[in-house]
Amino acid sequence: MKSHATTISAVSVVNELIPKLDAVEHQVEQTISAMLETSQLPRQIERYTKLQAEFQLELTMIRMNLEHLLKRYSQELAAVVNDPRQDVLLTLDAYEATAIENAKQLYRRVQALQTQGVT
């Protein structure tokens, strides 16, 4: 069986992945807090409370795996922060690749949740 290594550029990690993950975390908190504030039915409150816990667990798992990536490539990432021209491709392990894919899926879920009528 042929194995394909998943990669991401160091610039993408610094300029896109980390800021977007921070934004998703903020969106999750704001969106679900707004839903909880406007919910009046106990079933809705229970549903949104569980959803909030699911999102927080997912974010925690994503952050743990990305922390591993940041530690493994700390020198490369520091170099890119100082000079984006020093961009390199970082090879992701299976957990890191899954974390990045989960972050993308979480972003899509939060976007869908926001379009359900949260103001």
Side-chain angles (χ1 to χ4, degrees):
M1 187 184 313
K2 196 172 184 179
S3 172
H4 295 292
T6 302
T7 60
I8 189 169
S9 77
V11 168
S12 292
V13 171
V14 171
N15 294 334
E16 294 176 27
L17 182 63
I18 305 270
K20 285 182 181 178
L21 186 58
D22 291 340
V24 165
E25 192 166 14
H26 182 71
Q27 284 179 318
V28 165
E29 185 59 36
Q30 293 244 323
T31 302
I32 295 186
S33 292
M35 291 175 137
L36 283 169
E37 286 177 19
T38 60
S39 298
Q40 296 178 5
L41 300 174
R43 257 179 42 194
Q44 283 181 331
I45 294 169
E46 181 181 353
R47 177 177 173 251
Y48 295 137
T49 302
K50 285 182 181 179
L51 191 58
Q52 186 175 36
E54 286 175 23
F55 280 139
Q56 291 304 325
L57 179 60
E58 187 70 29
L59 280 165
T60 299
M61 292 170 50
I62 290 167
R63 288 229 181 254
M64 283 176 39
N65 285 302
L66 290 181
E67 187 176 309
H68 182 257
L69 175 72
L70 298 177
K71 285 181 183 176
R72 280 195 319 126
Y73 290 110
S74 62
Q75 292 178 344
E76 292 87 345
L77 293 167
V80 165
V81 167
N82 294 326
D83 183 1
R85 294 173 297 175
Q86 294 188 36
D87 195 15
V88 295
L89 285 180
L90 310 176
T91 302
L92 305 174
D93 69 19
Y95 297 106
E96 294 161 351
T98 299
I100 290 171
E101 185 55 39
N102 289 348
K104 291 175 186 177
Q105 289 175 3
L106 185 61
Y107 177 78
R108 289 189 294 268
R109 285 180 66 197
V110 171
Q111 294 301 318
L113 193 60
Q114 287 179 323
T115 62
Q116 290 180 357
V118 177
T119 55

